Amino acid sequence: MANLARFTNKALRTAYSITKHHAQPQLASSERAFATEAAKSITPSPDRVNWDYRGQRKIIPLGQWLPKIAVDAYVAPNVVLAGQVHVWDGASVWPGCVLRGDLNKISIGFCSNVQERCVLHAAWSSPTGLPAETSIERYVTIGAYSLLRSCTIEPEVIIGQHSILMEGSIVETHSILEAGSVVPPGRIIPSGELWAGNPAKFVRTLTHEETLEIPKLAVAINDLSKDHYHEFLPYSTIYLEVEKFKKSLGISV
Amino acid sequence: MGTLGRAFYTVGFWIRETGQAIDRLGSRLQGNYFFQEQLSRHRPLMNVYDKVPYVHKDAFIAPSASITGDVQIGHASSIWYGCVLRGDVNNITIGSSTNIQDNSLVHVAKSNLSGRVLPTIIGDNVTVGHSAVLQGCTVEDEAFIGMGATLLDGVHVEKHAMVAAGALVRQNTRIPCGEVWGGNPARFLRKLTEDEMTFFSQSALNYSNLAQAHAAENAKKLDETEFVKVLGKKFVRPDEVDSVLNAVGDTPPEITPPDNAALDKAPKAS
């Protein structure tokens, strides 16, 4: 495996050195002088590989913090979980998400789902003084492309797509946030209401029927995630490809 | 006991061979829907013919980031998970100690309606929040782009300016020094206080430190990661814990870290 890295390294280094003198960028005008200073001081590392066959690891432990995924939770292979992240039972984290619990805790509750391309982060401290962890309780649906930072989402909530929840915001139970809403820091979205907009404003209260639909959506997505989950074998069979690769490169297996 | 060990070893081998044979059988049964895993072909750094990324050795590039084309990244900068920096039609310059947070997109334009084509220039100590989209814009030193912001062509964010989260900054807008702009379309919200302006460079520094912890972890070879898994949480390299805790430069002194080993090294940051 070290041989492989060294081989790809060497091939890339020779290719890189050939093209390096072509790559000096042309930085012209004086108004961008500050950028030119930076350009001169860049020393690239000879060890940096352009390609690593391992790709990006899903679980990145930091120090003693190891992200924990429940056995029946679906976490797409595309996702990055770093630091203190707990994904509890029945939850699903869809492709492209980044859950970065490096400064504080992130937890995804039972049967919740974090849809595609979300970024969940937790700041070190919250302006409200409350614990700044990002905690998502049970039966929460977080729509695609949302950004959540140090917020608390109480049980049975729907967060629309592309919404932005800033530090210290709390979304109380049985509420719905429309797509594209931006919740300012420290805002509390009261229980049973529909909010929308940038910045998020009250729209109307939810009817009882709508409130009942919220956990149903979470359960429906949980069912869908089971289908996706079952497409993956418990262990990867990538070792077969690595063996083939080594064989074709003539590296003794 | 040598023979017993050998016996276990051999039986283990038989079981693994059987397992592999059954795996092949199962693949045959799956027929057309059989999925064969491929090696990850993702390239964090990719060149488009002669446009090669030029990255400083201190910079942290997440393995899932995609840096393509004519991109320059300065000292102590960090490009976090899932970012896409596409310098294929023009160039992107990122200064030192800048952080481009997760899932952001930095793009350049080849042509736009007004005919003026601009490279994307991001200065030193800039914090670009999660999922921001920057296209053909200039961001000067120590600015702060909030998460989810979208900056279109020709936007010029001056030093110590802030773009609020979720803002959509229309083409050719100039955001003056010391102001917060936000909303869709972006308009002036308020002026920044002195504290907030100093916070920007502090935040950039915090992120550089945090990036070092992530860089160390991502650079580990397979043996090290497996080793840590096997020993579980009982075995922790003390320098790793410190590096993560020290990364948080703005820790109030009253909060004691989980293990006191970090206390004597606490004032290392900033």
Side-chain angles (χ1 to χ4, degrees):
Chain A
M1 217 154 285
N3 284 331
L4 192 61
R6 245 180 280 146
F7 180 80
T8 50
N9 231 332
K10 210 163 77 155
L12 289 163
R13 231 180 301 159
T14 44
Y16 184 68
S17 56
I18 290 171
T19 59
K20 203 165 74 170
H21 54 276
H22 290 302
Q24 297 305 326
Q26 314 300 324
L27 283 172
S29 52
S30 53
E31 65 181 357
R32 304 191 190 126
F34 59 91
T36 325
E37 299 300 310
K40 294 198 184 99
S41 59
I42 295 179
T43 45
S45 160
D47 279 336
R48 193 184 287 277
V49 278
N50 279 13
W51 174 68
D52 187 342
Y53 72 92
R54 293 179 297 159
Q56 165 81 57
R57 272 191 288 151
K58 198 159 82 177
I59 298 183
I60 312 252
L62 291 172
Q64 80 237 47
W65 300 323
L66 181 68
K68 258 190 353 189
I69 306 179
V71 175
D72 56 355
Y74 166 61
V75 178
N78 233 344
V79 170
V80 178
L81 304 179
Q84 294 166 290
V85 181
H86 288 198
V87 180
W88 296 109
D89 298 55
S92 44
V93 183
W94 293 77
C97 289
V98 178
L99 273 67
R100 240 187 340 125
D102 45 14
L103 296 175
N104 223 316
K105 221 158 70 99
I106 296 181
S107 70
I108 316 281
F110 173 75
C111 218
S112 290
N113 57 85
V114 182
Q115 297 201 0
E116 288 85 347
R117 275 245 155 209
C118 286
V119 178
L120 271 68
H121 191 210
W124 176 254
S125 62
S126 164
T128 59
L130 292 169
E133 55 183 43
T134 301
S135 77
I136 298 170
E137 306 273 345
R138 55 188 198 276
Y139 294 111
V140 173
T141 303
I142 300 184
Y145 213 76
S146 303
L147 308 174
L148 271 67
R149 193 150 199 264
S150 283
C151 48
T152 305
I153 318 266
E154 295 195 357
E156 302 187 14
V157 166
I158 296 183
I159 310 271
Q161 287 96 323
H162 206 358
S163 45
I164 301 182
L165 272 74
M166 302 199 59
E167 285 93 332
S169 46
I170 298 180
V171 184
E172 290 193 357
T173 181
H174 288 139
S175 51
I176 297 185
L177 268 177
E178 285 268 319
S181 49
V182 177
V183 180
R187 159 78 58 209
I188 300 185
I189 311 278
S191 175
E193 300 186 1
L194 172 69
W195 283 53
N198 172 359
K201 294 200 167 52
F202 172 75
V203 175
R204 62 177 174 87
T205 48
L206 294 173
T207 64
H208 189 64
E209 287 76 29
E210 286 169 336
T211 312
L212 290 177
E213 287 297 314
I214 300 177
K216 282 193 204 160
L217 177 64
V219 171
I221 297 186
N222 180 18
D223 282 340
L224 192 61
S225 74
K226 291 270 176 291
D227 286 342
H228 285 249
Y229 182 81
H230 287 303
E231 283 299 317
F232 292 95
L233 287 170
Y235 293 96
S236 163
T237 53
I238 204 63
Y239 66 97
L240 296 166
E241 284 299 306
V242 176
E243 309 258 306
K244 264 191 236 170
F245 199 62
K246 282 186 183 171
K247 198 164 163 190
S248 68
L249 284 176
I251 299 172
S252 58
V253 175
Chain B
M1 278 307 130
T3 44
L4 190 61
R6 250 205 114 76
F8 276 138
Y9 189 69
T10 317
V11 171
F13 244 110
W14 292 343
I15 296 177
R16 287 183 76 178
E17 279 173 357
T18 314
Q20 287 189 350
I22 297 177
D23 180 48
R24 284 194 292 274
L25 173 63
S27 311
R28 198 97 61 72
L29 280 175
Q30 282 190 326
N32 283 339
Y33 298 116
F34 160 65
F35 174 71
Q36 186 173 17
E37 299 210 4
Q38 302 288 333
L39 286 171
S40 165
R41 298 188 66 176
H42 174 80
R43 297 199 259 170
L45 291 165
M46 189 169 108
N47 63 314
V48 179
Y49 184 52
D50 58 348
K51 300 187 205 223
V52 182
Y54 200 50
V55 178
H56 190 96
K57 64 176 183 297
D58 283 355
F60 163 56
I61 311 285
S64 54
S66 305
I67 301 180
T68 316
D70 196 354
V71 181
Q72 279 185 62
I73 301 181
H75 148 77
S77 288
S78 43
I79 312 291
W80 291 81
Y81 302 102
C83 286
V84 179
L85 272 70
R86 235 183 346 123
D88 43 7
V89 293
N90 213 319
N91 74 321
I92 298 180
T93 312
I94 298 185
S96 58
S97 290
T98 295
N99 55 83
I100 312 281
Q101 295 181 22
D102 321 87
N103 274 349
S104 297
L105 169 63
V106 181
H107 205 214
V108 278
K110 186 169 189 172
S111 61
N112 59 17
L113 291 172
S114 69
R116 233 172 22 126
V117 189
L118 293 172
T120 300
I121 302 197
I122 301 180
D124 302 337
N125 287 314
V126 177
T127 303
V128 176
H130 316 293
S131 283
V133 176
L134 274 68
Q135 169 150 344
C137 51
T138 307
V139 181
E140 293 191 9
D141 302 350
E142 303 196 5
F144 189 98
I145 312 284
M147 54 184 181
T150 306
L151 273 67
L152 298 178
D153 293 46
V155 168
H156 191 119
V157 180
E158 291 191 5
K159 196 168 161 147
H160 287 139
M162 174 165 161
V163 178
L168 171 70
V169 186
R170 308 262 324 281
Q171 285 88 338
N172 297 318
T173 313
R174 194 180 180 94
I175 300 186
C177 175
E179 301 190 2
V180 181
W181 282 49
N184 174 355
R187 53 181 79 85
F188 171 73
L189 288 182
R190 62 175 175 91
K191 283 214 175 286
L192 282 167
T193 63
E194 277 300 314
D195 285 342
E196 289 174 327
M197 292 200 232
T198 48
F199 170 68
F200 294 164
S201 45
Q202 183 60 36
S203 118
L205 184 69
N206 287 347
Y207 258 92
S208 300
N209 293 335
L210 199 55
Q212 294 312 310
H214 280 256
E217 186 55 43
N218 271 306
K220 281 190 177 166
K221 301 238 180 317
L222 183 66
D223 315 330
E224 295 174 47
T225 56
E226 292 301 311
F227 183 55
V228 171
K229 272 190 212 167
V230 163
L231 293 191
K233 297 179 193 133
K234 294 187 209 122
F235 180 81
V236 171
R237 290 202 336 228
D239 54 12
E240 279 176 34
V241 180
D242 293 347
S243 68
V244 177
L245 292 172
N246 278 334
V248 191
D250 54 12
T251 316
E254 303 85 57
I255 295 180
T256 48
D259 64 346
N260 292 328
L263 269 178
D264 41 307
K265 291 192 194 165
K268 196 164 70 171
S270 94

